Amino acid sequence: MTNNPSPFAFVDGALDRADHLRDDPETLASLWPQARIVVLEDDGRAYADRNDALLAPEGATLGGGPGTAIFLGLREGQAWFAQSAKLVAYDAPARIELRTAATQWPTFEATVFAQARAMLHWHARHKFCGVCGGELGFVRAGWLGQCARCGSEHYPRTDQAIITAVTDGQRLLLGRQRNWPPRRWSVIAGFVEPGESLEQTVAREVLEETGVIVRSCRYVASQPWPFPGSLMLGFLAEAGPDVPVVGEELDDARWFDADTIRAGLARDWAVGPEEEEGGIALSAPISIARWLIQSWLASVTR
């Protein structure tokens, strides 16, 4: 572990998840009145105040007890929970989505929001048993689904995905998806398949999406990516200089030199690329994708 702040979102400020309290409903009930409750709509937006700051009321304000709320963890002795807006008799002046919050809120609050969003998404999409179709009931403060019919246990799901900056030594390989704004580019990413190592995933995804053969790769960092429930596993890879040939997933893939990447990073990522006269726009500052691009640029220009 390092004490240096993470260069991307949803990593720093994580709660003490206090696993031992998930089987202690009495203690959770005693913590509820002073606990903070992150309330989310079905679309993943969180309750916010009129200034778009986090509005996480205390349990005493909401009333009742933990009940169907998901226990997220502790911070300096204070409990934090996540709850669906459908289950609270409480409203807020505004709602805010996670990508926006991650650029505006304190690091801790954005990280808690990410955890709450991922867990409530899992609850919403796992109401029935995948073994027998029976209805699931959630125990362990929301962290375990039990089938009322066959007794099968279901745990929160995280989808592993690789994301990799691929270089031929002097250039960086970037791709763009068909639904992205014009001139938006990013590094290559894809989900890990069953029975596959991370290194095999890197080689397969890069080949499938761009036709480029990876010679070697190394893991560098990871980022929770709750859109809706992934873990991005960051790699740096060496390949090429093959000519990119896109498959079905990408609209285009190209090699870019350091000057072009530097100009892309200097450009405001949030400005619509259609408003620019040429040039490229790169990934958002909250993402590990942008950090991988920055890391590559630093390695070739130092």
Side-chain angles (χ1 to χ4, degrees):
M1 296 292 290
T2 175
N3 293 324
N4 295 328
S6 173
F8 37 81
F10 315 135
V11 175
D12 294 328
L15 292 165
D16 170 5
R17 300 202 174 196
D19 177 83
H20 64 286
L21 294 182
R22 295 174 185 174
D23 287 317
D24 190 348
E26 292 184 358
T27 298
L28 293 180
S30 71
L31 292 169
W32 178 260
Q34 286 76 45
R36 300 286 298 280
I37 319 301
V38 181
V39 183
L40 271 63
E41 299 283 4
D42 285 347
D43 61 6
R45 293 179 302 154
Y47 276 14
D49 65 17
R50 289 181 175 83
N51 297 315
D52 282 340
L54 173 64
L55 184 59
E58 291 187 344
T61 301
L62 292 184
T68 57
I70 302 168
F71 173 59
L72 301 176
L74 300 173
R75 187 188 194 210
E76 298 178 351
Q78 184 178 42
W80 285 73
F81 292 82
Q83 181 62 287
S84 167
K86 295 186 298 185
L87 301 177
V88 299
Y90 183 89
D91 202 2
R95 313 290 191 272
I96 188 168
E97 57 92 22
L98 182 53
R99 284 183 174 87
T100 301
T103 66
Q104 298 178 2
W105 288 3
T107 299
F108 163 73
E109 293 182 357
T111 299
V112 170
F113 184 177
Q115 182 188 356
R117 190 183 191 278
M119 285 299 297
L120 284 169
H121 179 271
W122 175 66
H123 271 231
R125 284 155 180 77
H126 292 80
K127 296 181 180 296
F128 299 96
C129 177
V131 178
C132 72
E135 187 173 358
L136 293 185
F138 292 97
V139 297
R140 298 207 77 233
W143 289 85
L144 174 62
Q146 286 187 332
C147 177
R149 183 184 298 171
C150 72
S152 294
E153 295 184 340
H154 301 264
Y155 291 88
R157 172 173 177 159
T158 297
D159 296 319
Q160 296 82 25
I162 61 88
I163 183 165
T164 181
V166 182
T167 182
D168 68 354
Q170 296 298 318
R171 300 176 297 172
L172 183 66
L173 180 66
L174 300 179
R176 55 169 282 104
Q177 296 183 10
R178 292 178 177 84
N179 61 342
W180 287 357
R183 293 193 286 278
R184 176 77 68 193
W185 295 81
S186 189
V187 291
I188 309 303
F191 288 103
V192 181
E193 293 187 348
E196 188 174 53
S197 72
L198 299 179
E199 292 80 4
Q200 289 170 334
T201 305
V202 171
R204 175 182 56 77
E205 285 289 345
V206 173
L207 182 62
E208 289 177 356
E209 296 189 8
T210 71
V212 171
I213 298 174
V214 168
R215 298 194 303 269
S216 65
C217 66
R218 62 183 177 89
Y219 169 81
V220 286
S222 64
Q223 180 187 30
W225 194 246
F227 303 103
S230 299
L231 176 64
M232 306 304 294
L233 301 155
F235 282 80
L236 296 176
E238 295 182 358
D242 306 339
V243 176
V245 179
V246 296
E248 297 180 355
E249 296 186 32
L250 295 181
D251 185 51
D252 199 359
R254 301 179 194 174
W255 295 103
F256 292 90
D257 62 27
D259 288 341
T260 304
I261 296 298
R262 187 179 297 106
L265 289 170
R267 182 173 294 111
D268 185 355
W269 74 276
V271 173
E274 68 276 1
E275 300 173 18
E276 302 280 347
E277 290 296 330
I280 62 174
L282 297 171
S283 308
I286 68 169
S287 68
I288 191 174
R290 190 178 185 91
W291 176 78
L292 286 168
I293 294 169
Q294 293 168 327
S295 298
W296 171 81
L297 182 62
S299 73
V300 297
T301 57
R302 62 177 174 227

